[in-house]
Amino acid sequence: MFETVISGGTVVSEGHTSRADVGVRDGKIAAIASPGGLEDDAETVVDATDRLVFPGFVDSHVHVNLRLGEYTTTDDVRDLTRAAAFGGNTTVIPFAIPDADETPLDALDRRRDEARNEAYVDYSFHGCLTETTDEHLRQIPQLIENGATSIKAFMVYADRLKLDHGQLRAVMRRTSEAGGSMLVHAEDDDIIGFLVERQIRRGETDFTKHGPTHPPVSETAALWTVSELVADTDCPTLLVHTSTEGTGDVLGRVDARGLPIVAETCPHYVALSDEVYARGDGENFVCSPPVRAATHRRAMWNLVTDGSIGVVNSDHCGYTTSQKRRHRDDITRMPNGLPGVETTAPILYTNGVATGELSLQRFVALLSTNVARAFGLYPQKGTISVGTDADLVVFDPNATWTIDPETLHMATDYSPFEGTTVEGKVESVFVRGDPVVDDGLTESAGHGEYLRREPVSEEVYEEL
Ligand code: URP
Ligand code: ZN
Ligand code: ZN
């Protein structure tokens, strides 16, 4: 007997796209059979005729309760994971960034405490190193033992988070020795710092200067640096939120050298261009790296469709429009980041699958399978296979809707994609077999469980 059978949908998972019934027992996928084959054995049948059935999406780049500058991001764990669920994400991996005077392990413990009984979907955390004292470096293996097998480092945000090249190399070496992996925010702080200082001297620091002070070269130069550090330390590394045309050259060279590097991009880098900064509400689009010129957007899109980009994540980072507006004249104080955990799938589906530029297989790889593989969650997550967690998304490919912050669930009053008409809609979402979204929330907070992740081998990063 199955608790639930998702019946007659087109199941899309690695290596197969075919109509099938999916039978769920004890939170796991217990059987996959021809359409109609399992219905008679089900307590509950979910009719998925004319629907796509995806493995739950995994968003490994989301910020929750991020304290940076004068603001804390607006979503708490409930808000974030509720919005994530409505977007089809059944797992999220935020960052355990230490506060001043906090160690990385203390930050992980604090984050786990904050999330306990609060999450709608499953979750894990990336560890984070913002200092390289002996104590902090010594904690890397302990973070990994506690299931935070990936470590985040920032090359920018000098006031609190930045590691210089020497520190970054030390963290990568220690992480590699301990069997972990890294995520790096790669921007060159010297280039950015010089340009920002110049704007301050000129007295021109409004939000329209954010892009010019973070030029493509500041990102590309940092990507080259990180790739050399990966070669030096053998540390599997994910390049977060890549946004420039130069990413293609770096990844080409990375591939030729067989380096264990995976690149991420985000919906705003492939669906928006810097025209947004000419809008009256342009400050709402300030993020780092900035939304780039159309040539970069097109180049990034080509890297998504040709397989060079391994994962697409939201980099969800929620602020309200009034917070964004407050310092619109001061790029040194403006909060950076865009809300998006709920809109990644429809934006990627609309731009890619609906236009015929992205196969369903690749869509699922970018949002689910590759992310699960890169972060030690596969095959428990990221696939529809017998024995794995029944994390499933029933998606209506024929639904058309317009993105409206009023109907979204993120803890903010805007979306960078507001007014965009999208094709395809998440209809229902199951986490370990239980419906979390089905015409509204159907589970309570606390359903989500902490995932102690496995370390990932260099080979996985070489393959992705
Ligand atoms: O602007 C961004 N991306 N804000 C969030 C923090 C980060 O750098 O990922
Ligand atoms: Zn970043
Ligand atoms: Zn981020």
Side-chain angles (χ1 to χ4, degrees):
M1 194 73 179
F2 302 103
E3 284 124 36
T4 307
V5 168
I6 314 244
S7 173
T10 298
V11 174
V12 187
S13 189
E14 27 164 12
H16 62 92
T17 300
S18 52
R19 284 197 67 218
D21 280 8
V22 180
V24 176
R25 190 184 302 125
D26 296 332
K28 301 278 182 195
I29 295 171
I32 302 172
S34 321
L38 303 179
E39 282 181 5
D40 292 347
D41 253 351
E43 283 167 29
T44 305
V45 176
V46 176
D47 181 6
T49 311
D50 298 329
R51 303 292 188 264
L52 299 168
V53 182
F54 298 130
F57 307 134
V58 181
D59 193 330
S60 64
H61 191 158
V62 290
H63 297 276
V64 61
N65 291 332
L66 170 67
R67 294 177 199 149
L68 200 56
E70 88 191 52
Y71 296 113
T72 300
T73 53
T74 48
D75 307 80
D76 60 19
V77 172
R78 274 185 196 228
D79 299 325
L80 175 87
T81 57
R82 182 176 49 223
F86 277 100
N89 303 286
T90 52
T91 301
V92 291
I93 317 180
F95 303 93
I97 298 177
D99 279 343
D101 301 329
E102 194 178 36
T103 70
L105 263 184
D106 287 343
L108 178 63
D109 287 346
R110 174 169 58 84
R111 291 299 186 179
R112 288 186 61 183
D113 286 346
E114 270 170 19
R116 198 162 291 121
N117 301 324
E118 293 293 314
Y120 288 94
V121 302
D122 286 351
Y123 61 95
S124 187
F125 291 101
H126 304 288
C128 185
L129 267 275
T130 56
E131 294 175 43
T132 47
T133 61
D134 286 349
E135 183 188 19
H136 285 217
L137 287 173
R138 262 200 308 272
Q139 288 191 352
I140 290 174
Q142 292 163 273
L143 290 168
I144 293 169
E145 276 160 30
N146 279 284
T149 57
S150 45
I151 308 295
K152 175 79 180 280
F154 294 87
M155 296 170 79
V156 286
Y157 306 129
D159 46 345
R160 206 163 82 68
L161 306 181
K162 175 187 167 180
L163 299 184
D164 66 27
H165 297 179
Q167 292 176 303
L168 180 58
R169 178 169 179 257
V171 171
M172 291 172 79
R173 173 153 294 168
R174 192 65 70 95
T175 301
S176 170
E177 285 164 3
S181 61
M182 294 280 308
L183 309 95
V184 182
H185 176 139
E187 286 188 287
D188 186 301
D189 201 44
D190 286 348
I191 295 176
I192 294 168
F194 176 87
L195 294 170
V196 170
E197 284 302 320
R198 195 167 67 179
Q199 289 309 126
I200 293 170
R201 281 198 305 279
R202 289 176 178 169
E204 294 173 359
T205 58
D206 69 276
F207 73 86
T208 63
K209 308 302 179 306
H210 180 70
T213 54
H214 295 65
V217 64
S218 61
E219 182 179 335
T220 315
L223 294 177
W224 285 114
T225 300
V226 176
S227 63
E228 285 304 327
L229 295 179
V230 171
D232 181 54
T233 60
D234 294 327
C235 186
T237 298
L238 187 117
L239 304 169
V240 297
H241 50 46
T242 59
S243 72
T244 69
E245 189 171 16
T247 307
D249 296 333
V250 176
L251 293 179
R253 185 78 188 116
V254 157
D255 223 25
R257 297 168 81 183
L259 297 177
I261 289 181
V262 177
E264 168 198 87
T265 195
C266 311
H268 39 285
Y269 300 122
V270 295
L272 298 176
S273 60
D274 62 357
E275 288 148 21
V276 293
Y277 296 123
R279 291 171 43 154
D281 63 352
E283 70 272 13
N284 290 342
F285 297 84
V286 168
C287 56
S288 289
V291 174
R292 303 275 186 204
T295 45
H296 293 281
R297 174 175 56 76
R298 278 192 292 272
M300 287 309 298
W301 181 245
N302 290 339
L303 296 177
V304 169
T305 56
D306 77 8
S308 304
I309 291 290
V311 302
V312 175
N313 284 313
S314 65
D315 191 6
H316 175 87
C317 190
Y319 298 102
T320 62
T321 51
S322 73
Q323 290 173 329
K324 290 292 231 185
R325 201 176 309 121
R326 177 133 189 251
H327 295 302
R328 77 196 295 271
D329 288 327
D330 185 356
I331 46 171
T332 66
R333 297 177 75 191
M334 273 217 66
N336 283 206
L338 309 184
V341 71
E342 200 169 348
T343 47
T344 302
I347 291 292
L348 193 64
Y349 189 89
T350 302
N351 285 275
V353 182
T355 59
E357 291 176 55
L358 210 58
S359 70
L360 281 169
Q361 286 286 317
R362 183 115 179 88
F363 175 78
V364 161
L366 287 163
L367 294 186
S368 181
T369 317
N370 288 0
V371 195
R373 291 186 71 198
F375 291 108
L377 292 169
Y378 178 89
Q380 180 186 357
K381 309 292 188 188
T383 180
I384 300 178
S385 308
V386 171
T388 65
D389 281 1
D391 291 354
L392 299 162
V393 177
V394 178
F395 189 88
D396 180 356
N398 299 312
T400 301
W401 57 289
T402 299
I403 294 179
D404 173 358
E406 294 284 319
T407 59
L408 297 176
H409 304 82
M410 301 179 287
T412 177
D413 55 348
Y414 83 103
S415 159
F417 301 107
E418 180 169 351
T420 306
T421 297
V422 286
E423 291 176 49
K425 196 164 190 356
V426 170
E427 205 169 67
S428 48
V429 178
F430 297 78
V431 175
R432 284 174 281 101
D434 292 322
V436 171
V437 171
D438 186 14
D439 203 15
L441 270 185
T442 50
E443 261 297 347
S444 48
H447 182 64
E449 288 181 355
Y450 177 67
L451 300 166
R452 198 174 271 279
R453 290 178 291 117
E454 294 296 322
V456 176
S457 70
E458 267 181 63
E459 288 71 40
V460 170
Y461 274 65
E462 284 160 17
E463 274 166 37
L464 287 178

